[in-house]
């Protein structure tokens, strides 16, 4: 099984259409033998989050076994925790994506507590953008794992190019901190696998940002991953069982 844990829904045009459809993207996934993609909004980081969550759920709905949506919220606004609850219980979403750097908030502010608490209760992960200070250093985000020991804190880029050593430190220090190796350099990915408990690692490509369903860098990043000098059984666990467990989809089988 090959699961891409970091993909973006294409931005919605003013007329309500998209540059490409979910069916077109799933067809591209088939070309690359990707079984499942975890999908985040882009528009919801600066537009009405509730509406964008609905758009995302609708976009993914024809392919529930292939496209797994995560919601977003502005944690500074009233009702953010309630919106997370709605998205999980009514829309079937399986996590939260917060772009703390782009949305311009510190993950350690008091307003984060209700969102973290509801995610802990629901057993879902919160994936944070990390690797680009301010507001997005890996150890800064990992402090939430101490404040909320039942929360699954997911570092969305495993530190990127500059903070991957911080991401390693966070993963070693906290068993409820997970690393999504996404746009992380190959040498850093190899070091992450060598030092962080394997069950805390998943992989993503940052797909969906291109204007057509064929995303060359998705293919390229999977090729990078496939060429890593790590055991084949580790690659299998990262791409499959680890992602399934983090999504709470134990025993879930996908179909092409």
């Amino acid at each position: 099984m090959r699961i891409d844990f970091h993909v973006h829904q294409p931005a919605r045009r003013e007329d309500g259409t998209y540059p490409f459809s979910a069916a077109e993207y799933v067809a591209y996934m088939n070309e690359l033998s990707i079984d499942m993609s975890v999908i985040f909004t882009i528009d919801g980081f600066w537009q009405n989050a509730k509406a964008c969550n609905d758009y995302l759920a609708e976009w993914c709905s024809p392919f529930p076994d292939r496209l797994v949506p995560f919601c977003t919220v502005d944690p500074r606004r009233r009702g953010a925790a309630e919106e997370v609850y709605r998205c999980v219980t009514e829309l079937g979403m399986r996590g939260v994506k917060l772009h703390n750097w782009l949305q311009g908030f510190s993950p350690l502010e008091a307003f984060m507590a209700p969102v973290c608490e509801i995610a802990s209760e629901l057993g879902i992960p919160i994936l944070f953008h990390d690797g680009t200070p301010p507001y997005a250093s890996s150890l800064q985000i990992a402090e939430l794992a101490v404040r909320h020991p039942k929360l699954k804190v997911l570092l969305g880029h495993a530190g990127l190019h500059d903070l991957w050593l911080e991401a390693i430190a966070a993963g070693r220090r906290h068993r409820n901190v997970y690393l999504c190796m996404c746009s992380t350099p190959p040498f850093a990915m190899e070091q992450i696998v060598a030092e962080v408990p394997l069950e805390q690692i998943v992989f993503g490509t940052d797909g969906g940002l291109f204007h057509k369903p064929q995303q060359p860098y998705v293919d390229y990043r999977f090729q990078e991953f496939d060429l890593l000098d790590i055991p084949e059984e580790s690659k299998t666990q990262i791409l499959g069982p680890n992602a399934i467990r983090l999504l709470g989809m134990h025993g879930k089988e996908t179909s092409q």
Side-chain angles (χ1 to χ4, degrees), residues 20 61 86 106 132 138 152 177 193 235 251:
F20 54 89
S61 62
R86 181 187 77 91
S106 167
T132 54
S138 306
K152 300 171 185 176
V177 169
V193 173
K235 295 177 184 177

Side-chain angles (χ1 to χ4, degrees), residues 217-229:
Y217 56 91
V218 172
D219 186 18
Y220 174 76
R221 285 173 180 159
F222 265 105
Q223 290 184 48
E224 277 190 331
F225 180 85
D226 290 338
L227 291 172
L228 292 179
D229 186 16

Side-chain angles (χ1 to χ4, degrees), residues 58-136:
E58 180 183 22
W59 194 81
C60 294
S61 62
F63 302 95
D65 292 329
R66 307 296 303 281
L67 306 178
V68 181
F70 275 30
C71 67
T72 197
V73 293
D74 182 342
R76 292 164 292 202
R77 295 185 178 275
R78 289 183 180 180
E82 290 79 4
E83 173 62 6
V84 171
Y85 183 82
R86 181 187 77 91
C87 287
V88 173
T89 60
E90 297 182 19
L91 302 182
M93 296 187 171
R94 292 192 171 270
V96 181
K97 163 66 186 287
L98 297 178
H99 204 304
N100 29 306
W101 184 74
L102 185 61
Q103 291 174 284
F105 66 85
S106 167
L108 301 182
E109 293 286 351
F111 53 67
M112 279 298 303
V115 174
C116 292
E117 289 166 4
I118 194 64
S120 298
E121 291 175 15
L122 293 168
I124 60 169
I126 300 180
L127 185 146
F128 292 88
H129 172 87
D130 78 313
T132 54
Y135 303 144

Side-chain angles (χ1 to χ4, degrees), residues 199-216:
E199 63 270 17
Q200 294 170 227
I201 304 171
V202 294
F203 174 77
T205 65
D206 228 0
L209 300 176
F210 205 50
H211 65 278
K212 58 183 181 178
Q214 292 75 25
Q215 312 266 317

